[in-house]
Amino acid sequence: MSAGKQRLQEFEALRALSIVLLLILHSDVFSLQVFGVELGPISHFVGAFLLGSFFFLAGYFQEVSMQKRGHEPLAYIKSKFMRIFPPYWFALALFIFVMGYSLKRFDLTVYLLNIQFIFSPAFVKQMLTLWYISVVVSYYFLFGILTYRIQSNSGLAVWSLVIFAATYVLHKMTGLLDGRFFEYFFIFLAGIYFARLHQVREWLFNLHFAFKVGIAFLGVLVFRMALASGVDITHGFYLLAVDFYILGWVLMWLGIFRTNVGGWRIWAPISTASFFAYLFHRPIWYVLVGLLARRVGLSTIMFQFIPGSIIVLFVCYFLQNGYDSLLHAGRKQGNSPAGKGI
C-alpha cells in the first residue's frame, strides 16, 4: 500500500462503515426486538453518527480538493456538478416513476434544482433520503465561497458563525431551511479544519485510545440527555449535544481505522459504492422486494437487511465505476483539440 493510500485508509473505511450503517438503519432492523429489547432508541445514535460522518468527510475532502486545485473554482464547480447532479436526477426519477412518489409542480421544480433544503419541510413535500444531497450541496456552495475568498482560519470561523446566525434567524422567522441544515453545519466545518490543521489532526490521532473512547461515550450521555429532553433539533442544547457526540465517535473510529482494521480489503469497494448506494438503495430494494422477497421466504425487513443490502452494494460498485469511466472519457474528449471545439 502506498503512503498516500495509508493516509486515506481511515477515511475510506469510515465512509464504508457509514453506508453499511445507513443500509442497516433504512432496512428498519431497529424497529425489531432482540430478546425482548426494543432496538428503536439505538436508531437515533446510529443515524446521527453515520450522517455526521458523511458530512464530516464531505467537508474534509472538499478542503483537500480545493487545496489541490488551487485557484480554479470553475473547474471545481463543474467537477462537483457532474459527479452529483446527473446521478441525483436519475435517483429522483426512480423515486417518482418506480416508487410512485408524487410531487406538485412547485415541489418538483424545487427537487430538480436540488434546493429542497430551503423549503422542506414547511413548504414542500419531504422525500426520504434525498434531503442529504441538497444539504451537502448547500455546504459545498457556502463553504466553497468562504474557503476560496477567506484564507485565514480565524476569518473562516468568524464568517461561518455569521452565516449560521443569519440563517438561524431566517429559519426561526420564516420556517425556511431544513432543521438538519443547522444540525450538521459545524460538522462539515470541522471536516474542513481537520484537513487544514495538520498538527491538530496528528495530535488528535495520537491521543491515547482510551481517551478517545471516553470522549465518545461521554458524547453518548450528552446526546441521550438532549434526546430525553424532547427539544427540537434546532435547539441550542440539541445542536451542541449532537455535534459533540458525532465528533467524538468520528474521532474514535478514525483512530480504529488507522490500525490494521482500516486496511481490510472489504472497505475499499464498499466505499466506492457508497454514493450510488446512498442514492439508489431504496428504489433497488423496492424492485427486489416486489420480485423476490416472498419467493425466498423473508420479510421485507430481513430481505432488505441481508440479501438486499449486499445486492445494492454490488450493483452500485459497478455503477459508480462505470460512471467514473464515463466522466473520465468526457474529460479526455474535452481536453482533445476536437473536444475543445464542441
Side-chain angles (χ1 to χ4, degrees), residues 7 30 48 61-62 124 315 331:
R7 287 194 297 270
F30 292 109
F61 283 110
Q62 171 171 281
V124 300
V315 170
R331 284 195 297 269

Side-chain angles (χ1 to χ4, degrees), residues 122-123 169-177:
F123 302 100
V169 170
L170 177 66
H171 171 72
K172 291 299 183 182
M173 292 179 63
T174 65
L176 292 170
L177 299 174

Side-chain angles (χ1 to χ4, degrees), residues 53-193:
S53 297
F54 282 140
F55 282 111
F56 180 87
L57 291 170
Y60 178 87
F61 283 110
Q62 171 171 281
E63 180 62 20
V64 171
S65 295
M66 293 189 73
Q67 288 176 3
K68 288 181 179 178
R69 290 181 179 272
H71 299 286
E72 297 180 15
L74 292 180
Y76 177 76
I77 291 170
K78 180 181 177 182
S79 173
K80 279 294 183 186
F81 180 88
M82 291 306 300
R83 286 197 168 275
I84 294 174
F85 273 81
Y88 163 77
W89 285 327
F90 183 50
L92 178 62
L94 292 178
F95 271 75
I96 295 172
F97 297 111
V98 175
M99 299 184 67
Y101 276 76
S102 60
L103 295 173
K104 297 178 181 178
R105 182 174 298 178
F106 176 70
D107 294 20
L108 179 60
T109 301
V110 167
Y111 275 91
L112 286 171
L113 295 174
N114 197 24
I115 55 173
Q116 60 269 31
F117 83 96
I118 299 175
F119 300 100
S120 177
F123 302 100
V124 300
K125 180 180 179 179
Q126 283 188 304
M127 186 175 289
L128 293 172
T129 309
L130 297 185
W131 68 269
Y132 165 82
I133 305 300
S134 182
V135 173
V136 80
V137 167
S138 75
Y139 292 162
Y140 284 142
F141 177 76
L142 289 173
F143 289 107
I145 293 174
L146 286 179
T147 53
Y148 178 69
R149 298 299 297 267
I150 303 169
Q151 301 301 314
S152 73
N153 292 322
S154 58
L156 175 61
V158 169
W159 277 102
S160 297
L161 287 170
V162 169
I163 290 174
F164 181 88
T167 53
Y168 191 82
V169 170
L170 177 66
H171 171 72
K172 291 299 183 182
M173 292 179 63
T174 65
L176 292 170
L177 299 174
D178 191 321
R180 291 168 292 196
F181 173 85
F182 305 100
E183 187 173 357
Y184 300 104
F185 185 93
F186 291 109
I187 299 299
F188 190 96
L189 180 61
I192 293 174
Y193 278 115

